[in-house]
Amino acid sequence: MVPDIAEEIDELEKEIRETPYNKATQFHIGKLKAKLSKLKEKQERLGEGTSSGGGYGVKKEGDATVGLVGYPSVGKSTLLNELTNAKSHVAEYHFTTLDVIPGIMNYEGADIQILDLPGLVKGAAAGKGRGREVLSVIRVVDLIILMGDALRRDIDTMEDELEAMGIRLNKKPPDIVIKKRDRGGIDVGSTVELTNLEHETVKEVMRVYGYINASIIIRDDITVDELIDHLRGNRVYIPSFSVINKVDTLNDEDLTELEEYLNLWDPTFISVKEGAGIEELKKRIFDSLDFMRIYLRPQGEKGDDEPLIVKRGATVEDICKKLHSDFIDRFRYARIWGPSSRFPQQQVGPDHVLEEGDTVRIIIR
Ligand SMILES: Nc1nc2c(ncn2[C@@H]2O[C@H](COP(=O)(O)OP(=O)(O)O)[C@@H](O)[C@H]2O)c(=O)[nH]1
Ligand SMILES: [Mg+2]
């Protein structure tokens, strides 16, 4: 009989849970975790193609995309209807929204797409509900809002589900560089002291991942989980904040207690029903998306007062696309003024990366 992957995973997880983590066990745990990660990868591959699809092929639109994530009935559809032009179905019972509903919120000149992502239930990462499909959409958003209910305290389990699917909230990818080589085994170098990880553990984990001869340079004080993340690849790092809805259901005393309890999460407290906290939430969404302002200066003119709002890191090409569908085909060159230019009127190509406050003139055929 073929050994059941789920069973093997359970056993490994149990052993990891039951082994205390210290200097003596670190090597062993590292190896177990690497094996576990490989098994999960296999399980995911086997699970592919079984999903029902449909409704999840949402097209990204606007200047940035925000995913609204939360268990059923926290008020996602209600909030989406309040913030955007969408008409999402609101109901008293669970699982009302089966498809991802997009809406556009206009704020400070930016068109921000907000997706109501239903179907995240406990156990989603392990394939329950339609979690897998939802999580595949979550991976491409620019910001995740974790939405909770004032009467339920399950924001933390939601984050665990996302973690289990390879989504890292408010984290940076660790600085690790691996180079394969012809011989010499595995060579570990680090530019900082590794307080959680022996070099031998690094080597063993890399071996589980199939490395025989390679050099690895580690520039952050990483954990074994972060090393495995790097080896496994296909991790996404997304900014996030949380929102607690339905504060109208709490009295002042209970609300104060909840605020203290969730202190570390720094959530925005709202009541869509009573319209409380909505303006504050809109502003926080905008501020979290890391936009920049780019001014346009058409030929022969002095320049626009109204800036274009684009994501940080946008290029001249992104500006062209935003202005007109055929601008990029007719593009000859651009002239720029401001922070990203070496001198005023510098001539640049489509790949030039712009900076906050730049002025751009696009020359087309
Ligand atoms: N008391 C209260 N109820 C709300 C609030 N926002 C939404 N609801 C109700 O919560 C229920 C579930 O809302 P819905 O938007 O369908 O939740 P979803 O499953 O997360 O999309 C509905 O009965 C809403 O009217 C709120 O701020 N306060
Ligand atoms: Mg809904």
Side-chain angles (χ1 to χ4, degrees), residues 72-78 90-92 245-246 248-249 271-273:
S73 296
V74 297
K76 297 183 295 302
S77 302
T78 314
V90 176
E92 297 292 338
N245 187 30
K246 308 195 190 182
D248 56 279
T249 59
S271 162
V272 188
K273 190 178 173 186

Side-chain angles (χ1 to χ4, degrees), residues 21-64:
Y21 189 90
N22 56 46
K23 255 202 154 71
T25 59
Q26 185 205 94
F27 179 85
H28 184 59
I29 291 184
K31 187 173 171 173
L32 293 178
K33 283 190 165 175
K35 280 187 176 170
L36 176 65
S37 174
K38 287 226 79 167
L39 274 178
K40 286 197 166 167
E41 231 174 300
K42 198 167 159 193
Q43 189 187 41
E44 272 167 31
R45 273 201 308 275
L46 290 173
E48 268 165 26
T50 59
S51 71
S52 49
Y56 285 87
V58 180
K59 201 168 148 256
K60 282 185 87 165
E61 264 170 32
D63 302 310

Side-chain angles (χ1 to χ4, degrees), residues 22 50 54 198 210 217 242 324 338 345 347:
N22 56 46
T50 59
E198 303 283 326
I217 297 181
S242 44
H324 200 283
Q345 297 205 52
Q347 182 174 328

Side-chain angles (χ1 to χ4, degrees), residues 76-78 88-90 96-97 116 118:
K76 297 183 295 302
S77 302
T78 314
S88 192
H89 188 61
V90 176
T96 46
T97 330
D116 174 1

